Amino acid sequence: TIESCAFYRCDRLQRIIIPLKRDLFPFDPYHQEYNQFDSCDLLTAVDIVGGSHNKTIASLHMESWRTEMIAEINRINQFLPNTPAYEKTAAIKQWIDSVID
């Protein structure tokens, strides 16, 4: 898990590499939100664990899943640059949940 406020206001963070894992971000009961990457203004790219997503996904055998995962990663990486800094964690969490479901 990535603890609450772990990268909060990390103004140099541009890219993260994370697993596609439910409950990666614990809810912060004090602030009543998910806030691991909030106020990371430059955070614009997400990749999945295992290196470059194209290389990792290309090694998979299921063509349809591979194509879908590339599209999903591209979707979050197009959306994240326009996401307000205070909503970065919520956007990433929502993306993970939608990919897993």
Side-chain angles (χ1 to χ4, degrees), residues 3-6 25-36:
E3 294 303 320
S4 179
C5 295
F25 307 122
F27 187 74
D28 182 344
Y30 180 77
H31 293 103
Q32 294 295 301
E33 64 183 356
Y34 299 95
N35 54 22
Q36 287 75 1

Side-chain angles (χ1 to χ4, degrees), residues 46-60:
V46 175
D47 207 344
I48 59 172
V49 167
S52 168
H53 69 271
N54 290 329
K55 182 178 176 184
T56 303
I57 293 171
S59 69
L60 300 173

Side-chain angles (χ1 to χ4, degrees), residues 12-32:
R12 293 185 180 196
L13 186 63
Q14 297 176 5
R15 172 179 293 269
I16 58 172
I17 301 173
I18 57 176
L20 288 177
K21 176 184 169 192
R22 202 174 297 287
D23 300 327
L24 182 62
F25 307 122
F27 187 74
D28 182 344
Y30 180 77
H31 293 103
Q32 294 295 301

Side-chain angles (χ1 to χ4, degrees), residues 12-101:
R12 293 185 180 196
L13 186 63
Q14 297 176 5
R15 172 179 293 269
I16 58 172
I17 301 173
I18 57 176
L20 288 177
K21 176 184 169 192
R22 202 174 297 287
D23 300 327
L24 182 62
F25 307 122
F27 187 74
D28 182 344
Y30 180 77
H31 293 103
Q32 294 295 301
E33 64 183 356
Y34 299 95
N35 54 22
Q36 287 75 1
F37 299 102
D38 286 1
S39 296
C40 295
D41 295 336
L42 298 179
L43 179 57
T44 58
V46 175
D47 207 344
I48 59 172
V49 167
S52 168
H53 69 271
N54 290 329
K55 182 178 176 184
T56 303
I57 293 171
S59 69
L60 300 173
H61 298 288
M62 295 174 26
E63 181 71 30
S64 63
W65 189 84
R66 179 181 345 163
T67 302
E68 182 180 334
M69 285 307 302
I70 290 170
E72 286 295 333
I73 292 169
N74 288 338
R75 182 173 62 92
I76 188 63
N77 288 338
Q78 290 172 0
F79 180 75
L80 205 54
N82 300 314
T83 303
Y86 60 89
E87 294 179 0
K88 299 277 186 176
T89 305
I92 295 166
K93 182 183 182 321
Q94 182 178 8
W95 173 74
I96 289 172
D97 291 344
S98 73
V99 170
I100 291 174
D101 288 338

